[in-house]
Amino acid sequence: MKDTSTLNRKRRQRIGKVLGNPREQKDELRALQDTIYVIGGKWKLPIINSICNGNKRFREIERSIPGLTTSMLSRELKDMEANQLVKRTVTPTSPVVVEYSSTDYCHSFGEIILEMITWGKNHRKRIIRNSKHGNKPDY
Amino acid sequence: MKDTSTLNRKRRQRIGKVLGNPREQKDELRALQDTIYVIGGKWKLPIINSICNGNKRFREIERSIPGLTTSMLSRELKDMEANQLVKRTVTPTSPVVVEYSSTDYCHSFGEIILEMITWGKNHRKRIIRNSKHGNKPDY
DNA sequence: AATACCAGTAGCATGAAAGATACCAGCACG
DNA sequence: CGTGCTGGTATCTTTCATGCTACTGGTATT
């Protein structure tokens, strides 16, 4: 039995094909997945956030993110340097000073990070609110 | 030898401690990590995106995301339903119709997803631009 | 002279995430 | 009656991101 929603869906697909909308949607999906690939994982966004908060030195960044180990930070920084998300500057004083900074390119994540921080704060409130009243989540 | 940057850093830390800034920064880091935990992985954001693009049925969502398998989609949808990111509606027609929709709660990811799509598109252009001229990336 | 900081690297271990495969019941189409 | 759609589940395997331990060479502190 074909219900109306099925018909509508088929119609939508046909229209979409004509208008080339699927092409756009595919591009957008790919773009989204690219981004997830570049900043994915547990640490990259926290590291960017840390650097944007003014932490520049390796150990400084490391200490600012509990749970992050030296080797992970090392790997992530290399990766992000290769992707031009951070810049590594060595000042040849004695001893040498190594400083990391965010690139302009990286700044474009600023909005995303802020949104995610906001979301995370709300989520926590929500969880606490629900558990306080012994509520089961409303679904 | 204490160079000035070290002194400044120490000073900043001291000032931060007094102003309680570290507390805030810890909260923000935690919020960010919470969000990463909830929407992390390869598929959750693409699935949300798909649903927001009008895909409602299980197989419809599945087909809209190449590479996504039935079992992964099943797991992710359950997870996201538990986190109140999507709603599952069963209409008891014959045959039953199962439809997924995004919750208001989930809509708060709209901005994040759009930003990520934009970023991904730019990133791809950038990569192509660099490789076209045989350029080494400028770092 | 010993200790502690800096900025890391190398290599192995492991565990969670993802993928592959098989399977289910129910309905419909021809 | 066979085939193919729907909306999934169960389970095993694999892979990759992450984590752990140890180590380096140089500088500064005490």
Side-chain angles (χ1 to χ4, degrees), chain A residues 14-55:
Chain A
R14 208 164 50 243
I15 293 170
K17 210 170 284 177
V18 171
L19 296 181
N21 193 38
R23 174 80 254 140
E24 259 223 66
Q25 232 154 277
K26 275 199 173 177
D27 285 350
E28 294 194 348
L29 175 59
R30 194 183 53 176
L32 180 57
Q33 288 178 323
D34 284 352
T35 306
I36 291 171
Y37 183 78
V38 173
I39 61 169
K42 288 175 68 173
W43 302 116
K44 293 209 185 67
L45 286 180
I47 290 168
I48 292 174
N49 186 239
S50 173
I51 293 175
C52 290
N53 272 337
N55 298 308

Side-chain angles (χ1 to χ4, degrees), chain B residues 93-126:
Chain B
T93 47
S94 168
V96 293
V97 173
V98 180
E99 289 190 329
Y100 292 91
S101 54
S102 55
T103 61
D104 287 351
Y105 194 41
C106 170
H107 286 2
S108 41
F109 285 119
E111 290 303 311
I112 293 174
I113 290 175
L114 288 181
E115 296 264 9
M116 287 176 75
I117 288 173
T118 304
W119 196 94
K121 283 183 175 174
N122 286 336
H123 187 62
R124 186 167 284 267
K125 275 185 214 151
R126 197 185 168 97

Side-chain angles (χ1 to χ4, degrees), chain B residues 63-76:
Chain B
R63 277 191 299 264
S64 75
I65 305 172
L68 175 58
T69 60
T70 305
S71 59
M72 274 312 296
L73 178 56
S74 174
R75 265 174 274 181
E76 298 290 46

Side-chain angles (χ1 to χ4, degrees), chain A:
Chain A
M1 185 176 106
K2 282 175 187 296
D3 61 1
T4 46
S5 78
T6 303
L7 284 173
N8 283 339
R9 180 163 53 79
K10 294 243 161 113
R11 187 153 162 274
R12 244 184 293 119
Q13 287 175 344
R14 208 164 50 243
I15 293 170
K17 210 170 284 177
V18 171
L19 296 181
N21 193 38
R23 174 80 254 140
E24 259 223 66
Q25 232 154 277
K26 275 199 173 177
D27 285 350
E28 294 194 348
L29 175 59
R30 194 183 53 176
L32 180 57
Q33 288 178 323
D34 284 352
T35 306
I36 291 171
Y37 183 78
V38 173
I39 61 169
K42 288 175 68 173
W43 302 116
K44 293 209 185 67
L45 286 180
I47 290 168
I48 292 174
N49 186 239
S50 173
I51 293 175
C52 290
N53 272 337
N55 298 308
K56 295 173 180 307
R57 311 293 297 274
F58 188 90
R59 298 294 179 193
E60 206 176 7
I61 298 166
E62 188 181 356
R63 277 190 299 264
S64 74
I65 305 173
L68 175 58
T69 62
T70 305
S71 60
M72 273 311 298
L73 178 56
S74 175
R75 265 173 276 182
E76 298 290 46
L77 282 174
K78 268 188 198 167
D79 195 83
M80 292 164 72
E81 203 194 344
N83 276 310
Q84 301 168 58
L85 295 179
V86 301
K87 204 176 56 166
R88 183 175 180 272
T89 314
V90 181
T91 313
T93 48
S94 169
V96 293
V97 173
V98 180
E99 289 191 328
Y100 292 91
S101 55
S102 55
T103 61
D104 286 350
Y105 194 40
C106 171
H107 286 359
S108 41
F109 285 119
E111 291 302 311
I112 294 175
I113 290 174
L114 288 182
E115 295 263 8
M116 287 177 75
I117 288 173
T118 305
W119 195 94
K121 283 184 176 174
N122 286 335
H123 187 61
R124 185 167 285 266
K125 274 185 215 153
R126 196 185 168 94
I127 301 280
I128 291 170
R129 197 187 329 119
N130 278 344
S131 66
K132 246 184 195 147
H133 307 290
N135 282 349
K136 295 193 168 83
D138 41 293
Y139 53 84

